[in-house]
Amino acid sequence: MRKTAPVASLLKTLALSGALALGLGAGHLSAQEEAAASGEDAIKVGVLHSLSGTMAISETTLKDTMLMLIEQQNEKGGLLGKQLEAVVVDPASDWPLFAEKARELLEKEKVAAVFGCWTSVSRKSVLPVFEELNGLLFYPVQYEGEESSRNVFYTGAAPNQQAIPAVDYLKDELGVERWVLAGTDYVYPRTTNKILEAYLKQNGVAEEDIMINYTPFGHSDWQSIVADIKKFGSEGKKTAVVSTINGDANVPFYKELGNQGISAEDIPVVAFSVGEEELSGIDTKPLVGHLAAWNYFMSVDAPENETFIETWQDFIKSDQRVTNDPMEAHKIGFDLWVKAVEKAGSTDPDKVIDAIVGLETGNLTGGTAKMLPNHHITKPVLIGEIQEDGQFAVVWQTEEEVPGDAWSDYLEGSKDLVGDWTDPINCGNYNTKTKECLGAVAAE
Amino acid sequence: MRQLKLEAPRRGAPRRGSLFAALALAVGALVIGGPLAAETAGVDEPVAVELPAVPVSAAAEAAPEPEADITVPEADTAADAELAEPAEPAMAAEPAAAPEAADAAPPVADTAPEPAAARPSLDAAVAALADRSFKVKEQAVADMAASGDPRAAELLKALLAGELYVKKDDDRIVFAERAGDGFALTDALSGDALGEVGRRDATKITINNRMRGAVRTAIAALTLASPDPAVRLSAAREMVGTADPDALAALQAQLAQEDDAEVKDAIGLALAIAGLRAEAAADRVAAVEALGGSLYPQARNALDTLIGSEQDEAVLAAARASRADIERRLQNNRRIETLFFGLSLGSVLVLAAIGLAITFGVMGVINMAHGELIMIGAYTTYLVQLAMPNAIDWSLFVAIPAAFLVAGLFGVAIERGVIRFLYGRPLETLLATFGISLILQQLVRTTISAQNVIVENPSWMSGSLQINPALSLTFNRLYILVFALLVFFALLMILKRTALGLQVRAVSQNRAMARAMGVRSARVDALTFGLGAGIAGVAGVALSQLTNVGPNMGQAYIIDSFMVVVFGGVGNLWGTLVAGLTLGVANKLMEPWTGAVLAKILVLVFIILFIQRRPRGLFPQRGRAADG
C-alpha cells in the first residue's frame, strides 16, 4: 500500500502536465479546423513556421507576413476566381515535427503550396516529404547552398548573394587582410565558413590569417573569444570578423566587443543573421558601425518599400514593428507563385514548377526578382551599417541583381555542379563536366 | 581536483596568492573605478550643456530648442568632453585664427573670408556633405579639418554623433532635433533656426566606418592643443602610428610644452614609431630603445615591420631585444587576463548556484524551477528599469532588493503550495518543480512577451578598467565578481550568525529533534526556500547585465548550477564557492586550445569522473547528519 501512493501522485503530476500541454496545443488546432471547414472551394496555402520554442522569435513574424499577403490577394479577388485560405500549423521549433506537419499539410489539408521553414535543419527535415508527395515549398531565409530540389524554391540568399559579396566588400573597400570566421556550431555556419575559407585562400589569404571559431547555441560567455579576436586583430593587419553567429548569442557577443573597447573602426563585424527584427530586441548603442549583409533593408528608400512597410504596420496594428529580409523573400515567393498559378491556369505542382521558371516580379528595393532554372532567384546585395536607431544605413550595394548559385564555385565537390529544372536537364545536381545527373546521390 | 588546484595558480599567474591579488584588484576597482566612472559621466553632461557653440549663440535666443540639440548628444563618453573645447583651444594654437577669436561670437559672414586663400572654405566643405558618395564626403571631412575654421571641430563632432542632417528641398546642412512627428532644424553654419519640417523632409548624413576613422583623426588633430589633458591624451593616442609630417611637427611642438606625463608618453610613442623610419641608424636605435617595454600594439607592430626590413646589425639586435621584452610582458598580461576571465565565469556560476546550494544543498529539495527563479529576478530588473527610465544608472540598486523579494515570494509560494507535500519524495519533487518551471516560463511568455526584453547596462557597468595598453578588465565582469563574493558572504553570515540560520541548520540536520526543541519546522522550511529563491532572484539581476533576458534564460543555468553544487559538496557553501571558481578557471584555461564547445564537455567529463571517486564532492559534510 505504501508503494502505490507515490506512483499515484506521480501519475497525477504527469497527467496534469500532459493535459496542460494538450490544452495549449488543442486551442490552435480547433481554430484551424474551423477555418478549413469554411470554404470547400478555396485554394489552401500552408504556412509552416514555428510559433513556439526558440525559433518563434523570428518565425512568428513570417507567419503574420503570409497572412497579410493572402489577405491582400483575397482583396484583389483571390486566385483563379477562388479565395485563398491560409492553413497555419505550428512545428514548435522541433525539427522532426516539421516533417510531420509538412505531411499533414500535403496529405490531409491538400494545400497547393507551403511557405515555411527557417533553419536549414528544418528544411532538410521536410525535404524528403515534399519530394515524396510532390508538394511545393517556398523557403525564405538565407542559407548555405549546396542544394537544389525540384520541389523547393529558395527565395532567400545563396552564399554568393550574401557571404561572398560581403567578404569582397571588406577586402576591397576596407582593405581587410585578416579574417575571423566566427559562427554558431551547426550546419549553416560550418558550410558557409567552408566556402568562405576556400574563397579566401583562392584569393591569396594565408592560413595563419584566418581564424575560425565555433560556439554553442545561446553562448553567453564571450570574454576569452573576444580577447582572442582582439589579439588576432592587433597584429598589424586590418582585421574583420565574419559572423554567422545565430540567434540571441549575438547580444552578449556585441556587448563584450563594446566593453572590451573594440569599435567598428578597429575590427568591423559583418553579420549574416542579424537583421532589423533581431536588433529590435537589443540595445544598439555598442553596435553602431558594425555591418550586416542582406538583400533588403527596411531603410531602403524606394516607393515599393514604403508601401510595403505601411501595409505591414497597418496589418499588424503597430507602427513600431520592423520589416526584414526574409519577409521580403516571402513576398517575392508569394508573388511569383501567384503569377505561376495564373500562367499555368492551375495549382497543380507539376504545372506550377514548369510555369514559374523565368517569371519576374518587383522586389522591394526597386529591382526585379527572377526565378532561375535552379529554383533560386536574382537578388541585389546590400551592405548596411548598424545605426543607433536599430536600422541599417546602406554603405554599398551591387550594381544589379546577382543570380543565386545553388552549388558553390569554391568547393571541390560542388564547383562543376549546376541545378536546372527545365528540359532537357531537369536535374538538381547536374555535373557539367561529366554531363550526368547525380540524382539522389547528392554531393554533400 | 588536487591536480587542478595546483595547476590553476601555476598556469594562471606566476606568483603565489594571485587569486587574492586579483580579488584585491577587483575590490580596488570597485572603490576607485566606480566613483571615477560616475564622476566623468557626471562632469561631462553639465559641460556639454553649458557650451553655447560659438557660431550658434546668435541664434540661441531666437530658438532655445535647437541649441539644446547640439549639446544634447549622449555625453556619456569621455570623448565628448572634446566637444566642450574646440573653439578656443584650436584658435590658441593657430596664430592665424587668433584675430577671429575676438569676433567669433558675431555672425559667420565675418569669419568666412578671413582665412588664407589656400585653405579650403568650411562652407564649401560642409555643403559637400550632402553628397551621397562616401568618397566625396570623406574629402569634405578632410577639407573641413584643413579649413582652420574654429567651427570645424564642432561640426565634425556633430557629424560623428549623427546630428547633422540634409534638408531635402534645398540640400542645406542642418542640425535636427526631434519635435513631435518631425524635426526642428537649425542651419549648421549660420545657426539660424529654420523651423520644423516633417520626418521625411530631412535625412541624416550617414557615415561609414572609414569616414568615422577620418573624422576622429581630424578631431584629434584639432584638439591636440586642448587645455584638457584627457582630450590631449585621446588626441595623441589617435595620432599614434601617423606618418604625416605635419602631424608629427604638431606633436613635436606639443611635446615641448606638455606637462602631463601620460600625454607625454603617448606623444613620445607616436614620435618613436615615426623615428623608426629615421635616416641615421643611431636615431633608429634610439627610437627602438624608446619603444622597449611598450605594450601598445602599434609599438610591437612597428618593431615587427622594422625587423623585417632592417639592414643595420646594431639596430636589428636592439629591435630584437626590445621585441622579446615586449613579448614577455604581453605573455604575463595574458595570463592575468585568463585568470580574470576564469574567475569571472566562475563568479557567474557561483551566483547561479548559490541559491541552489540552499534549497538543494541544505534542504535537499531538487528544485528544477531554480533557473526560472533566476529568470524572475532578471525580469524584475527589466520591470524596475521600465518604471524608472530616467535613472537607469540607479536601477540596479532598486532591482536587487526588489528581485530578492519577488523571487523570494515566488519561492515561499512554491514551497507552501507544492513542495511541502512532497518532502522525502525526490522523484516527485523533481517532476513537480519541472512542471512549475514550465508554468513560470509560460507565465512570462503570456504576460510580458515571448521575445527577449532589453535590459540596459548602467553607464558605470559599461567599458573597461584599462590597467595597461595590453590589459583591460571589463567593468561589468569586475562588479559581478565582487557582487558574487558579497552575496556569498552575506549568505554565510545569515546561516552562521542569525537565529534563522541556526534554525535552518537545526532542521536540516535533524528535523525531529529540532521540532522537539520548539523550532517551527514548517515556517523554517518556507523561509529557507524563500531565501534560496530570493538569492536566485538576485543572481538574475546580475545575469541580466551579462546575457539575454528571455523566458528560456533559466534553462541555461540549471545544469551548471547543479553541477557546481554537486561538485562542491552538497550542503556546504564554501564548497559551492570553490567549485564555481575552479570550474570557471578550468574552463577558461582550456578554452584557448580546445574551443568553447569542447572545453565545456571536458569539464563535464571531469566532474563525472570526480564524482565517481568522491561521491560527496569537494567538501563532504561529515558526521551523523550527513549519513541520515
Side-chain angles (χ1 to χ4, degrees), chain B residues 98 128 262 283 319-320 343 361 367 380 407 429 449 497 584 625:
Chain B
E262 253 188 298
D283 286 352
R320 289 222 171 93
L343 287 176
N367 180 16
T380 310
T429 321
S449 153
R497 295 283 154 88

Side-chain angles (χ1 to χ4, degrees), chain B residues 375 378-379 444 449-453 548-554:
Chain B
M375 171 196 79
Y379 270 91
V444 170
S449 153
Q451 302 213 352
N452 290 350
V453 295
N548 292 296
V549 177
N552 296 327
M553 74 177 284

Side-chain angles (χ1 to χ4, degrees), chain B residues 461-515:
Chain B
M461 290 276 283
S462 310
S464 51
L465 177 70
Q466 195 81 32
I467 292 176
N468 63 40
L471 180 64
S472 59
L473 309 179
T474 48
F475 278 129
N476 59 353
R477 299 278 175 178
L478 264 180
Y479 289 133
I480 283 169
L481 181 56
V482 175
F483 183 66
L485 293 173
L486 287 179
V487 170
F488 173 79
F489 286 109
L491 197 58
L492 206 60
M493 283 302 119
I494 291 177
L495 284 185
K496 290 270 150 84
R497 295 283 154 88
T498 64
L500 173 70
L502 187 66
Q503 293 180 349
V504 168
R505 283 181 294 145
V507 170
S508 74
Q509 283 178 8
N510 192 327
R511 178 174 298 264
M513 187 60 81
R515 291 182 61 155

Side-chain angles (χ1 to χ4, degrees), chain B residues 171-254:
Chain B
D171 274 356
R172 235 199 294 199
I173 309 293
V174 292
F175 291 115
E177 193 197 1
R178 281 256 147 167
D181 250 357
F183 293 114
L185 303 184
T186 324
D187 192 293
L189 285 165
S190 66
D192 297 336
L194 300 175
E196 290 187 15
V197 296
R199 190 149 58 116
R200 298 200 181 279
D201 295 329
T203 36
K204 182 147 95 185
I205 301 178
T206 51
I207 55 176
N208 63 8
N209 278 319
R210 213 179 4 189
M211 271 182 78
R212 235 174 248 126
V215 171
R216 268 191 228 282
T217 319
I219 294 173
L222 291 173
T223 52
L224 185 62
S226 153
D228 181 352
V231 177
R232 292 202 301 274
L233 183 63
S234 71
R237 286 209 174 130
E238 201 71 53
M239 290 165 82
V240 165
T242 182
D244 177 17
D246 284 348
L248 290 173
L251 283 169
Q252 284 282 13
Q254 186 59 34

